[in-house]
Amino acid sequence: MERPQEKPDATVEPGVGRDFCTTHWSVVLAAGDQTSPEGHAALCRLCEIYWAPVYAFIRKRGYSPELAQDLTQEFFATLLEKNYLAKALRERGKFRSFVMTSVQNFLHIDHDRNQAQKRGGGRVILSLKDDLAESGYQSQVTDESDPAKAFEQRWASTLLQNVFQRLREEHVESSRSGLFQELQAHLWCDPDSIPYGTLATRFGLTVGNVKVISHRLRGRCREILRHEIAQTVSQPGEIDEELRYLMRVVSQ
């Protein structure tokens, strides 16, 4: 008896439950369907992830904060109105690369937008936190002048923030939510992290218990991160490659 064939673009990540069965580019493709609630939610999710990277890219091109906000809004409004996401093929590879190329083309086409209209130019305004764009950008300002690297740094930072936010939401009602807060520093080997022995005493556990909880937390963090990346790459083999790339960006 023949085994049923699996869908070519679906995969279940090792150690991940059924809710982590992912279709690569699934979020991107869903965002292209503007007629469904799922499509709208997917679009909002992508905009939240890539808003800060696009803003950083535009700011590094020399635009003022106000104009950079206008252009970022205009860029996402263009993606929405032209429905470019529905036309984006999975063969394009990593969605991160697709967005960066798209914003480069957008700025090239709209190079005289220094005479921009009133904010948003009367076009669709996405519900994003403009007031946080510049503060977030300034918090990570470096000597790096390359807009592409600024984009990647903000992409990595935003992705990791979303992963930690999901971890926090999973532990917010846990009796060990306080321990979770303290263990976050251990996920990235922060030199200022509180020693396991101190945490064990503080929370009435053994050092072994704390190490096990930390190990599980690190594993859960990897699961969520793989899941997030899997949804915006075109091939399963690109997940680990993209993870390694993210770690390189973070370590710079």
Side-chain angles (χ1 to χ4, degrees), residues 226-239:
R226 286 182 66 85
H227 173 63
E228 291 294 321
I229 287 178
Q231 294 180 89
T232 54
V233 296
S234 58
Q235 301 295 330
E238 293 177 337
I239 300 174

Side-chain angles (χ1 to χ4, degrees), residues 3-86:
R3 295 176 61 185
Q5 292 185 344
E6 295 180 358
K7 295 181 181 179
D9 60 349
T11 182
V12 179
E13 298 304 324
V16 182
R18 291 179 180 272
D19 60 322
F20 272 74
C21 180
T22 60
T23 301
H24 302 290
W25 272 63
S26 58
V27 175
V28 180
L29 296 177
D33 181 8
Q34 301 173 26
T35 62
S36 70
E38 293 80 7
H40 178 73
L43 177 66
C44 290
R45 182 180 178 190
L46 285 174
C47 290
E48 288 174 356
I49 293 173
Y50 289 94
W51 169 265
V54 168
Y55 179 83
F57 182 93
I58 294 174
R59 283 285 280 122
K60 282 294 184 181
R61 292 288 292 266
Y63 292 95
S64 67
E66 183 177 20
L67 188 52
Q69 289 180 9
D70 289 341
L71 288 170
T72 303
Q73 284 279 21
E74 189 77 5
F75 170 72
F76 283 106
T78 299
L79 285 184
L80 176 62
E81 293 178 3
K82 302 292 185 181
N83 205 16
Y84 287 145
L85 292 177

Side-chain angles (χ1 to χ4, degrees), residues 168-180:
R168 279 193 293 271
E169 290 172 355
E170 290 181 355
H171 290 80
V172 68
E173 295 182 0
S174 168
S175 60
R176 291 176 176 169
S177 59
L179 177 59
F180 163 74

Side-chain angles (χ1 to χ4, degrees), residues 4-245:
Q5 292 185 344
E6 295 180 358
K7 295 181 181 179
D9 60 349
T11 182
V12 179
E13 298 304 324
V16 182
R18 291 179 180 272
D19 60 322
F20 272 74
C21 180
T22 60
T23 301
H24 302 290
W25 272 63
S26 58
V27 175
V28 180
L29 296 177
D33 181 8
Q34 301 173 26
T35 62
S36 70
E38 293 80 7
H40 178 73
L43 177 66
C44 290
R45 182 180 178 190
L46 285 174
C47 290
E48 288 174 356
I49 293 173
Y50 289 94
W51 169 265
V54 168
Y55 179 83
F57 182 93
I58 294 174
R59 283 285 280 122
K60 282 294 184 181
R61 292 288 292 266
Y63 292 95
S64 67
E66 183 177 20
L67 188 52
Q69 289 180 9
D70 289 341
L71 288 170
T72 303
Q73 284 279 21
E74 189 77 5
F75 170 72
F76 283 106
T78 299
L79 285 184
L80 176 62
E81 293 178 3
K82 302 292 185 181
N83 205 16
Y84 287 145
L85 292 177
K87 301 172 186 176
L89 301 176
R90 278 173 281 188
E91 286 74 12
R92 288 181 183 271
K94 304 173 184 69
F95 188 65
R96 166 178 56 83
S97 301
F98 168 75
V99 173
M100 190 187 302
T101 300
S102 297
V103 73
Q104 285 174 323
N105 293 337
F106 169 78
L107 292 177
H108 177 71
I109 293 171
D110 296 331
H111 63 280
D112 7 53
R113 199 165 295 271
N114 284 325
Q115 301 174 359
Q117 303 173 24
K118 181 175 175 186
R119 168 172 286 188
R123 305 185 73 185
V124 176
I125 299 297
L126 301 172
S127 181
L128 299 169
K129 298 178 180 179
D130 285 4
D131 56 326
L132 299 180
E134 183 63 15
S135 60
Y137 172 79
Q138 290 294 341
S139 70
Q140 293 194 344
V141 166
T142 65
D143 295 332
E144 178 56 62
S145 60
D146 185 352
K149 289 188 177 180
F151 174 95
E152 290 169 345
Q153 288 168 353
R154 290 299 290 160
W155 160 75
S157 173
T158 302
L159 191 58
L160 291 176
Q161 286 173 11
N162 289 346
V163 170
F164 283 124
Q165 177 60 31
R166 180 158 178 180
L167 280 173
R168 279 193 293 271
E169 290 172 355
E170 290 181 355
H171 290 80
V172 68
E173 295 182 0
S174 168
S175 60
R176 291 176 176 169
S177 59
L179 177 59
F180 163 74
Q181 295 295 333
E182 301 293 356
L183 285 175
Q184 287 185 77
H186 286 269
L187 294 177
W188 300 106
C189 301
D190 188 333
D192 295 325
S193 58
I194 301 174
Y196 287 139
T198 303
L199 292 176
T201 300
R202 181 180 299 176
F203 291 96
L205 300 168
T206 66
V207 174
N209 289 151
V210 174
K211 287 182 177 179
V212 168
I213 294 170
S214 179
H215 176 74
R216 290 174 178 171
L217 185 63
R218 189 175 289 109
R220 180 59 177 153
C221 181
R222 285 196 298 267
E223 287 182 353
I224 297 174
L225 186 55
R226 286 182 66 85
H227 173 63
E228 291 294 321
I229 287 178
Q231 294 180 89
T232 54
V233 296
S234 58
Q235 301 295 330
E238 293 177 337
I239 300 174
D240 287 328
E241 177 187 341
E242 192 77 337
L243 277 170
R244 288 190 293 270
Y245 185 78

